[in-house]
Amino acid sequence: MTQMDLQSETALCAEDVFEGPEKKLEVYFTRSGPTDGLRQYGSDAWGEMLAAASCTIVSKRSNVHFDAYLLSESSLFVFPYRVVLKTCGTTTLLLVVHQLLRMGMDIGAELELLQYGHLRYKFPEQQVYPHASFDQEHAYLVKMFGEVSHCSLGPPDCHWVMLSVERRRTSPRSLISPPASPKAGDDILEIAMEGLAQRVCALFSKSCTAGATMGGDGSSPEDRALAIQITRESGLKALLPGVDVDDWAFDPCGYSMNGLRAGFYYTVHVTPEEAFSYASFETNDPAYRDPAYVAAIVRAFAPKLAVVSLTTRSISCELPAYALDGFERAGIDFHRLGSASSVCCASFTAASVEISALAISTIFPKCAALEKCSKLAPVS
């Protein structure tokens, strides 16, 4: 590397990078309040809470089971007694915990289970308190709650970290305990991908789209039409049959999507800058743990690295031993989190620089069958 190359690389790291891997917070509350629970709070209340994390709401979509908010940095899902929040970049997600707990207390609900985790940061030096390191994140929750389960899974260069808090009551009858069989929607599948193919990066970049009007905030009819176009051309629309999609194209590049179907949510976020490209897919729909779905989602983005994790309200991991064509499995790991949950994680590296996306077509029969399902388990 020449001195000029070194200076360019240093300048990139210092000024022009964006942390794609999201911080993710999932909180369960006791069902001791009104039927609608936390859903009685509107956009203003959630927006006030999100200010602590340095992000804002850009769009909202709802069904009878939950509310889905697209954020300036990722997504928020609000069920009556469960909240899932993920934020990217240098957001300060853990700073929302105090306000979130107060919102629960105001409706008569108390914390039951809190889980926090993320893929290792690509640019950890860019993070700020309380996210400057995993140790700092852990210490922040320990100061707030006392006992906090923690773990790191997978190889050092692509590890997944988790923190978990359980709150027990004084009455033995109300002790938190893992469900014998978690109901559909309790568990979360995440696929984090880095090093996306060049053609994929271009697809999710407004600046690379012919005729696109630059400078908008994503809310104009033209920008919303572009987001719909990206969802279709990327193959995501075909992979999410029957899903109510709320998508957003950012300026000059970047893409986010929330999807709703009965009690299941789906979310995709893409950071398409080639030097640090990243994409994630997440859902609580157990059907998408099928190896064919995981393979199709990974192929849609053609990454160099894919990390698949499952966070479950069970003491045993149920993540299949995936084998992805064109990838080598770098490791698979499992860790129990306290007495009520566990996490498992598998990481894969591409055997070639770019893999083919044509195999997405192999999933279409499964998608069609899923779309015809007349009954989906409600989740609350």
Side-chain angles (χ1 to χ4, degrees), residues 274-328:
E274 287 187 44
F276 44 90
S277 60
Y278 172 84
S280 66
F281 175 93
E282 175 179 325
T283 183
N284 65 333
D285 184 346
Y288 281 75
R289 289 181 227 164
D290 185 302
Y293 274 116
V294 172
I297 292 163
V298 171
R299 289 189 180 107
F301 294 96
K304 296 177 181 177
L305 170 71
V307 180
V308 184
S309 71
L310 178 69
T311 307
T312 172
R313 295 201 74 183
S314 171
I315 58 175
S316 61
C317 181
E318 300 174 358
L319 187 68
Y322 296 112
L324 303 178
D325 290 343
F327 284 83
E328 298 176 354

Side-chain angles (χ1 to χ4, degrees), residues 113-116 147-150 162-166 337 341:
L113 176 67
L114 179 151
Q115 294 179 322
Y116 169 80
E147 184 178 355
V148 178
S149 299
H150 60 97
M162 285 291 301
L163 298 169
S164 181
V165 177
E166 299 174 9
L337 298 168
S341 58

Side-chain angles (χ1 to χ4, degrees), residues 189-371:
L189 175 76
E190 297 180 69
I191 307 174
M193 296 162 281
E194 291 185 340
L196 313 184
Q198 184 177 29
R199 56 178 173 75
V200 175
C201 292
L203 178 61
F204 289 96
S205 298
K206 183 179 178 181
S207 59
C208 296
T209 304
T213 302
M214 304 302 293
D217 64 359
S219 62
S220 69
E222 293 81 7
D223 285 345
R224 298 314 299 264
L226 175 60
I228 293 171
Q229 175 185 323
I230 291 173
T231 302
R232 183 183 66 252
E233 293 183 357
S234 65
L236 290 171
K237 183 66 174 178
L239 288 168
L240 297 168
V243 173
D244 178 18
V245 171
D246 185 13
D247 39 21
W248 198 271
F250 291 92
D251 192 291
C253 63
Y255 169 90
S256 287
M257 182 220 79
N258 285 342
L260 308 83
R261 180 170 57 191
F264 301 124
Y265 75 84
Y266 313 81
T267 187
V268 175
H269 301 281
V270 183
T271 300
E273 291 92 333
E274 287 187 44
F276 44 90
S277 60
Y278 172 84
S280 66
F281 175 93
E282 175 179 325
T283 183
N284 65 333
D285 184 346
Y288 281 75
R289 289 181 227 164
D290 185 302
Y293 274 116
V294 172
I297 292 163
V298 171
R299 289 189 180 107
F301 294 96
K304 296 177 181 177
L305 170 71
V307 180
V308 184
S309 71
L310 178 69
T311 307
T312 172
R313 295 201 74 183
S314 171
I315 58 175
S316 61
C317 181
E318 300 174 358
L319 187 68
Y322 296 112
L324 303 178
D325 290 343
F327 284 83
E328 298 176 354
R329 193 170 73 194
I332 186 167
D333 208 349
F334 160 82
H335 201 283
R336 182 170 170 176
L337 298 168
S339 64
S341 58
S342 61
V343 58
C344 34
C345 176
S347 54
F348 301 85
T349 55
S352 58
V353 173
E354 181 173 343
I355 60 174
S356 172
L358 296 178
I360 294 177
S361 60
T362 63
I363 198 67
F364 286 176
K366 287 182 176 288
C367 292
L370 187 59
E371 188 170 19

